[in-house]
């Protein structure tokens, strides 16, 4: 580094030409500035070259140990820093994650066990499972949402819509893969919902299903009821409080509303799934299909026994991420059924439940709910992994 | 099953606009008697695989007919033709075990599981892989995979077995062994078999009938020895035989065949420029011989020896003569003279490269 500086200095000074003081000042200044940059540049280059290869780092480490006594403290520190500089790169992300991810998780865990937690005074009455017991028993005060109802809703939405949309996406991708003409146009159309905001989509969906007008003077029964009408079916109240409900003990299944949600979830989940599966299909060697044809496999057999197993890694990825996403569903249901998530949270989801109690200031229930959600997702993911791993061959 | 290929043509349209269409197979006519092993032989890209895929029904011909026994199968779907096909890269289903792979065609015929398993085992025994039934293809060597592919093709007892370069992915020793195996299996089953290869030695050694192709056009059909001894044109003569035939530029003048300044043979053909092809085993050492070669070196192989020589009219850098090991050659001779066995010498028109007949 020092040599470099000297080089620069002497380079500008070599021609022994005398200028007047004014000019000379600027020449010197220029050389100094250049020298400064060159110096920094070499330092930066040194730094990157230094961390570039493991080998080099090891060599340097050896240097440190070999002639350790001769090195100054500063030099030792500098070299030590260099050999550990990988940390420098992850540090910003690590700090952000600690602050915004790990700390909240930890805080939620701790606060979930604080009984009767008051956020204003930051006081609580003892540590225990009371929040969890109350959440599960539904003993969270009047006008609240039922955790069990929300959990059943979430599970049913997810476990019906995710496999269904994955299956549909598979069928559509296979069909798309077999047509050659205007494939690009179809791809674009199928991908559009992915680019649309889910609240907006929810609102549009709601209009497809909503009956507008009073009971005696119906203005329109909505798109879906109109279509049902062509087949001679009576209009169904899809969205509003008067929507039909099955009751199973304390759990309500408003099946008409369920259909709306599931149709929505399937539809909005399709584009991404098609994107993934379609590209997976294109990577399958055509020869397997030729072989299957010679072996007399029908289209159906080919799909289930050749195509599906070959893209099993992608399918299982979609199932896992789909279920994880589905368990966290919230926005679309608010978009369709409003902030109350139906009538008194009869269409609520677990995340909706959590928001409800965050909003209310009853943080204990919200924390307990989110811990429960966390555990449930973990269990489902574990089961899912167990199942799909068995059916996945890595080529 | 008898196979009759009549004026079969396949033209692939060009992929990009304005490009030339590919004539992969042109006006192919072959009659294959039942139970024969037929080799389609030709350099890479000459349309062998395309022919095979048309026979299997995976490609539809541009024109022409394919007839199995008396049935026209030209437009029949692949699965209805009763053929077994072994792909060049085997195309074993990677997620199925060997047993599932072999049984797959039977599953599609809705054959019961026990019977399917029994038949799969029979097929596996035929190719000697019955111990590997539980493995996945990725756990098999190339040779084993190839056997699985053959078993899968044989298990449904096809009328015709089609093999696309089945040995090209094997190492040299395994190739030799497996080609005997294929011959044995073909004999045992009696299935009419069409076998594609670019390796002339392979084709020569196991085929009953050999079809030599070049750029989609059939050059010659016949028994391997027949074609070797009586090639139709320069390409066929050149393609068959290891070491390959020696070719000299020459001419016919007044009933004599000249190579360089020497008369190597008499002929009744009229005067013209010719290529003179001489098989390496067609030379007889004779101090008063008709053809003089400059000796480069001599390779002794035990059974015989080869004289590697040069000649200014040769179209290849070296001329190779194989002679008996008990023939005594003068040591350190710079030049040797040879007589030529007349039936090992072929004349081709220099322009058309067709054999003078
Ligand atoms: N699907 C296809 N589309 C266009 N051209 C093809 C196609 N398949 C093969 N060809 C061309 O046809 C010719 C013959 O190919 P192929 O039958 O595979 O040769 P071989 O098996 O003898 O090596 C080649 O020139 C190849 O490029
Ligand atoms: Mg080929």
């Amino acid at each position: 580094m020092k040599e470099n500086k000297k080089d620069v200095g002497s380079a500008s000074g070599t021609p022994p030409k005398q200028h007047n003081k004014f000019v000379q000042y600027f020449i010197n200044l220029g050389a100094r500035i250049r020298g400064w940059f060159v110096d920094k540049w070499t330092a930066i280059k040194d730094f990157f070259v230094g961390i570039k290869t493991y080998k080099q780092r090891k060599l340097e480490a050896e240097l440190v140990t070999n002639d350790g006594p001769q090195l100054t403290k500063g030099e030792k520190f500098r070299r030590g820093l260099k050999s550990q500089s990988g940390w420098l790169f992850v540090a910003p992300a690590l700090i952000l994650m600690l602050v915004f991810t790990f700390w909240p998780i930890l805080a939620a865990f701790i606060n979930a066990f604080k009984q009767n937690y008051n956020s204003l005074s930051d006081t609580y009455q003892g540590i225990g499972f009371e929040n969890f017991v109350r959440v599960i028993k539904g003993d969270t005060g009047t006008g609240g949402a039922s955790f069990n109802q929300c959990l059943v809703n979430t599970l049913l939405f997810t476990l019906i819509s995710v496999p269904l949309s994955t299956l549909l996406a598979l069928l559509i991708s296979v069909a798309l893969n077999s047509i050659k003409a205007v494939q690009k146009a179809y791809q674009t159309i199928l991908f559009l919902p992915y680019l649309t905001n889910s609240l907006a989509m929810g609102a549009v969906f709601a209009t497809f299903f909503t009956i507008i007008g009073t009971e005696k003077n119906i203005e329109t029964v909505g798109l879906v009821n109109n279509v049902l009408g062509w087949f001679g079916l009576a209009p169904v109240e899809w969205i509003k409080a008067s929507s039909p409900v099955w009751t199973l003990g304390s759990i309500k299944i408003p099946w008409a509303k369920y259909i709306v949600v599931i149709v929505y979830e399937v539809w909005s989940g399709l584009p991404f799934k098609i994107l993934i599966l379609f590209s997976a299909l294109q990577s399958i060697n055509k020869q397997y299909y030729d072989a299957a044809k010679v072996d007399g496999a029908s289209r159906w057999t080919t799909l289930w026994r050749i195509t599906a197993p070959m893209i099993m890694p992608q399918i299982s990825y979609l199932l896992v991420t789909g279920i994880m996403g589905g368990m966290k569903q919230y926005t679309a249901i608010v978009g369709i059924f409003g902030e109350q998530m139906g009538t008194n949270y009869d269409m609520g989801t677990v995340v909706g439940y959590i928001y409800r109690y965050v909003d209310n200031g009853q943080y204990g229930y919200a924390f307990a709910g989110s811990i429960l959600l966390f555990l449930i997702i973990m269990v489902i993911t574990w089961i899912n992994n167990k199942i799909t791993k068995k059916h996945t061959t890595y080529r | 099953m008898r196979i009759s290929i009549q004026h079969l043509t396949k033209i692939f349209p060009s992929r990009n606009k304005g490009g030339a269409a590919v004539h992969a197979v042109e006006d192919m006519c072959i009659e294959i008697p039942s139970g024969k092993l037929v080799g389609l032989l030709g350099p890479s890209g000459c349309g062998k695989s395309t022919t095979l895929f048309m026979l299997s029904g995976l490609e539809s011909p541009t024109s022409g007919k394919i007839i199995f026994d008396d049935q026209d199968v030209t437009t029949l779907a692949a699965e209805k033709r009763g053929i077994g096909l072994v792909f060049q890269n085997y195309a074993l289903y990677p997620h199925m075990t060997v047993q599932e792979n072999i049984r797959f065609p039977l599953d599609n015929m809705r054959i019961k599981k026990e019977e399917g398993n029994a038949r799969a085992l029979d097929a596996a025994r035929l190719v000697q892989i019955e111990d590997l039934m539980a493995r996945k293809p990725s756990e098999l060597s190339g040779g084993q995979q190839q056997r699985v592919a053959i078993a899968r093709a044989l298990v449904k007892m096809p009328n015709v077995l089609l093999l696309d370069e089945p040995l090209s992915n094997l190492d040299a020793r395994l190739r030799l062994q497996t080609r005997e195996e294929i011959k044995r299996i073909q004999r045992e089953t009696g299935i009419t078999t069409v076998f594609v290869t670019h390796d002339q030695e392979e084709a020569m050694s196991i085929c009953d009938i050999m079809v030599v192709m070049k750029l989609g056009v059939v050059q010659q059909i016949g028994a391997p020895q027949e074609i070797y001894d009586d090639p139709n044109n320069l390409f066929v003569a050149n393609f068959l035989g290891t070491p390959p035939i020696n070719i000299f530029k020459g001419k016919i003048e007044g009933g004599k065949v000249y190579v360089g300044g020497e008369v190597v043979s008499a002929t009744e053909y009229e005067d013209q420029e010719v290529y003179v092809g001489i098989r390496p085993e067609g030379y007889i050492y004779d101090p008063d011989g008709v053809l003089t070669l400059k000796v480069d070196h001599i390779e002794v192989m035990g059974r015989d020896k080869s004289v590697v020589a040069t000649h200014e009219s040769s179209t290849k850098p070296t001329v190779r003569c194989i002679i008996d090991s008990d023939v005594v050659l003068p040591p350190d001779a710079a030049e040797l003279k040879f007589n030529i066995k007349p039936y090992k010498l072929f004349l081709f028109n220099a322009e058309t490269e067709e054999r003078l007949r």
Side-chain angles (χ1 to χ4, degrees):
Chain A
M1 253 182 274
K2 269 177 194 157
E3 269 176 18
N4 248 322
K5 215 173 187 174
K6 229 186 259 165
D7 269 359
V8 173
S10 62
S12 64
T14 13
K17 209 174 170 186
Q18 275 308 110
H19 297 280
N20 65 41
K21 263 189 177 172
F22 186 71
V23 174
Q24 193 61 46
Y25 174 77
F26 278 99
I27 287 174
N28 289 345
L29 185 70
R32 277 224 307 278
I33 291 172
R34 224 180 76 125
W36 189 84
F37 275 111
V38 168
D39 200 25
K40 290 290 168 277
W41 173 237
T42 347
I44 290 168
K45 232 171 29 188
D46 267 358
F47 178 74
F48 277 98
V49 170
I51 60 158
K52 209 170 182 178
T53 60
Y54 173 66
K55 232 186 194 166
Q56 248 166 321
R57 247 187 285 163
K58 219 167 135 187
L59 247 166
E60 283 197 11
E62 257 165 42
L63 261 177
V64 171
T65 48
N66 283 351
D67 28 18
Q70 285 115 355
L71 285 174
T72 62
K73 255 190 181 171
E75 185 67 357
K76 250 188 190 170
F77 177 75
R78 207 173 66 79
R79 290 192 178 178
L81 195 69
K82 244 186 206 176
S83 67
Q84 294 296 314
S85 54
W87 288 106
L88 264 172
F89 290 90
V90 276
L94 203 64
I95 291 166
L96 286 174
M97 253 167 74
L98 283 174
V99 173
F100 291 106
T101 307
F102 294 131
W103 170 241
I105 289 176
L106 194 68
F109 249 103
I110 295 166
N111 288 329
F113 293 95
K114 292 179 180 171
Q115 285 160 182
N116 272 339
Y117 177 69
N118 185 334
S119 63
L120 290 177
S121 57
D122 197 16
T123 54
Y124 55 94
Q125 294 146 5
I127 296 279
F129 285 94
E130 194 190 315
N131 287 333
F132 291 91
V133 173
R134 279 171 178 253
V135 161
I136 290 167
K137 274 191 176 164
D139 184 17
T140 53
T142 48
S146 150
F147 183 79
N148 292 345
Q149 175 73 44
C150 290
L151 182 60
V152 168
N153 288 345
T154 312
L155 282 173
L156 284 179
F157 295 162
T158 307
L159 296 183
I160 296 171
S161 68
V162 170
L164 198 62
S165 74
T166 309
L167 180 71
L168 264 177
L170 179 63
L171 296 178
I172 292 172
S173 315
V174 168
L176 195 64
N177 197 29
S178 66
I179 39 171
K180 293 284 164 278
V182 290
Q183 207 175 51
K184 279 262 144 40
Y186 283 113
Q187 261 174 284
T188 313
I189 292 168
L190 286 166
F191 198 62
L192 272 179
Y194 192 58
L195 306 172
T196 317
N197 176 287
S198 55
L199 267 175
M201 272 200 301
V204 172
F205 245 76
T207 65
F208 286 172
F209 286 93
T210 309
I211 300 175
I212 296 171
T214 58
E215 212 170 309
K216 284 185 188 134
N217 180 24
I218 293 172
E219 284 174 31
T220 169
V221 291
L223 185 69
V224 175
N225 277 333
N226 260 321
V227 173
L228 287 183
W230 298 344
F231 299 98
L233 296 167
V236 177
E237 178 54 70
W238 298 102
I239 306 281
K240 289 183 196 155
S242 52
S243 182
V245 176
W246 293 330
T247 312
L248 300 168
S250 65
I251 304 295
K252 281 180 277 175
I253 309 278
W255 57 269
K257 293 182 187 177
Y258 263 54
I259 290 176
V260 177
V261 170
I262 286 163
V263 168
Y264 171 87
E265 301 249 289
V266 167
W267 181 72
S268 68
L270 278 180
F272 181 66
K273 295 190 169 76
I274 291 173
L275 183 81
I276 297 287
L277 294 180
F278 182 70
S279 56
L281 286 180
Q282 294 208 312
S283 71
I284 298 181
N285 192 334
K286 182 183 161 287
Q287 211 162 61
Y288 293 121
Y289 294 120
D290 281 345
K293 224 186 270 173
V294 172
D295 289 342
S298 64
R299 279 177 158 225
W300 201 241
T301 310
T302 309
L303 177 59
W304 292 122
R305 293 205 52 192
I306 311 289
T307 309
M310 284 201 177
I311 56 174
M312 205 30 135
Q314 283 86 350
I315 292 176
S316 76
Y317 163 77
L318 289 179
L319 286 177
V320 170
T321 54
I323 286 173
M324 289 207 288
M327 292 303 293
K328 293 189 270 188
Q329 179 55 278
Y330 172 67
T331 358
I333 293 167
V334 170
I336 302 170
F337 296 102
E339 248 180 296
Q340 285 288 305
M341 302 192 95
T343 313
N344 202 15
Y345 285 89
D346 65 345
M347 292 300 286
T349 60
V350 177
V351 173
Y353 179 91
I354 294 166
Y355 276 143
R356 165 90 178 74
Y357 286 102
V358 170
D359 246 16
N360 246 13
Q362 291 171 299
Y363 290 107
Y365 300 144
F367 289 139
S370 49
I371 301 296
L372 287 172
L373 177 63
F374 173 76
L375 292 177
I376 290 162
I377 292 181
M378 225 167 71
V379 169
I380 291 177
T381 310
W382 181 75
I383 294 170
N384 205 327
N385 271 345
K386 280 268 162 210
I387 295 170
T388 46
K389 212 168 241 166
K390 232 166 78 185
H391 294 286
T392 306
T393 24
Y394 294 97
R395 271 169 287 169
Chain B
M1 179 155 302
R2 200 155 37 76
I3 304 174
S4 170
I5 300 172
Q6 299 172 357
H7 303 288
L8 196 65
T9 300
K10 178 73 190 185
I11 301 170
F12 288 110
S14 73
R15 290 219 175 83
N16 41 338
K17 271 182 195 153
V22 179
H23 291 243
V25 177
E26 270 201 84
D27 199 32
M28 172 186 270
C29 299
I30 309 175
E31 296 294 328
I32 301 172
S34 188
K36 293 288 184 202
L37 178 57
V38 179
L40 282 184
L41 174 66
S44 192
C46 73
K48 307 178 298 285
S49 297
T50 308
T51 307
L52 211 64
F53 289 149
M54 286 194 283
L55 284 175
S56 70
L58 291 174
E59 290 279 6
S60 51
T62 309
S63 63
K65 273 185 186 170
I66 299 166
I67 293 167
F68 284 2
D69 278 344
D70 295 315
Q71 191 195 2
D72 185 344
V73 296
T74 313
T75 55
L76 200 65
E79 66 271 18
K80 295 194 180 128
R81 292 194 187 190
I83 50 124
L85 177 58
V86 175
F87 289 85
Q88 189 164 357
N89 304 317
Y90 314 141
L92 298 177
Y93 310 120
H95 53 283
M96 296 187 197
T97 63
V98 168
Q99 186 187 37
E100 287 165 340
N101 260 287
I102 300 176
R103 221 184 48 207
F104 188 66
L106 300 180
D107 292 350
N108 293 323
M109 291 158 75
R110 307 206 181 286
I111 284 171
K112 285 213 189 66
K113 197 154 188 184
E114 301 84 62
E115 194 196 334
N117 283 342
R119 278 175 65 176
L121 191 64
D122 284 344
R125 283 216 184 91
L126 192 65
V127 294
Q128 299 167 350
I129 47 161
E130 64 269 29
D131 303 332
L132 309 173
M133 295 299 256
R135 297 216 199 153
K136 291 267 172 73
S138 57
E139 298 161 347
L140 299 178
S141 73
Q144 290 167 334
Q145 288 184 23
Q146 201 257 4
R147 284 153 193 261
V148 177
I150 294 180
R152 185 177 68 181
L154 286 175
V155 75
K156 56 187 168 185
M157 306 187 182
N159 299 316
V160 177
L161 179 63
L162 305 171
L163 302 142
D164 191 0
E165 310 223 11
L167 308 179
S168 63
N169 288 341
L170 305 181
D171 62 55
R173 245 183 70 179
L174 205 54
R175 201 176 306 168
L176 229 76
Q177 185 191 339
T178 314
R179 93 185 175 202
E180 298 308 317
E181 200 88 323
I182 289 175
K183 183 78 192 164
R184 171 184 69 80
I185 292 163
Q186 198 269 335
R187 285 235 178 85
E188 274 176 31
T189 56
I191 295 173
T192 312
T193 302
V194 180
F195 171 99
V196 162
T197 178
H198 63 262
D199 181 340
Q200 54 89 23
E201 216 180 324
E202 208 169 283
M204 299 270 291
S205 64
I206 67 169
C207 292
D208 299 320
I209 302 170
M210 198 162 76
V211 178
V212 186
M213 293 178 69
K214 174 196 177 189
L215 295 174
V217 182
V218 172
Q219 304 292 309
Q220 194 164 1
I221 304 173
Q225 195 63 46
E226 227 174 86
I227 300 182
Y228 182 82
D229 290 338
D230 195 11
N232 265 347
N233 56 36
L234 189 64
F235 172 81
V236 176
N238 221 341
F239 201 71
L240 298 187
T242 29
I245 193 166
N246 302 309
I247 294 169
F248 302 91
K249 283 203 183 94
K251 62 180 183 224
I252 300 176
E253 244 175 51
K256 286 171 182 155
V257 180
Y258 288 88
V259 170
E262 295 168 305
V263 179
V264 293
S265 167
T267 178
E268 68 254 30
Y269 299 111
E270 57 198 56
D271 294 2
Q272 59 191 295
E273 297 288 312
V274 289
Y275 284 115
V276 179
I278 304 172
R279 292 274 178 216
E281 68 275 19
Y283 297 88
I284 304 163
Y285 169 67
D286 183 346
D288 307 317
V290 293
L291 183 65
T292 313
L293 299 175
K294 286 195 196 74
V295 179
D296 188 73
H297 62 276
I298 294 170
E299 290 169 9
V300 182
M301 318 273 268
R303 198 155 30 95
D304 42 35
K305 50 187 155 192
S306 14
V307 177
V308 181
T310 55
H311 190 279
E312 78 262 10
S313 298
S314 172
T315 58
K316 296 170 191 172
T318 59
V319 177
R320 200 173 262 273
C321 318
I322 299 174
I323 48 180
D324 261 10
S325 59
D326 38 355
V327 173
V328 183
L329 295 174
D332 302 326
E335 286 187 344
L336 289 175
K337 282 176 180 280
F338 294 94
N339 278 331
I340 290 147
K341 299 174 189 167
Y343 57 94
K344 292 289 182 187
L345 181 147
F346 312 114
L347 298 174
F348 306 94
N349 181 285
E351 259 166 56
T352 60
E353 303 192 347
E354 288 298 314
R355 175 93 176 275
L356 299 184
R357 287 187 189 272

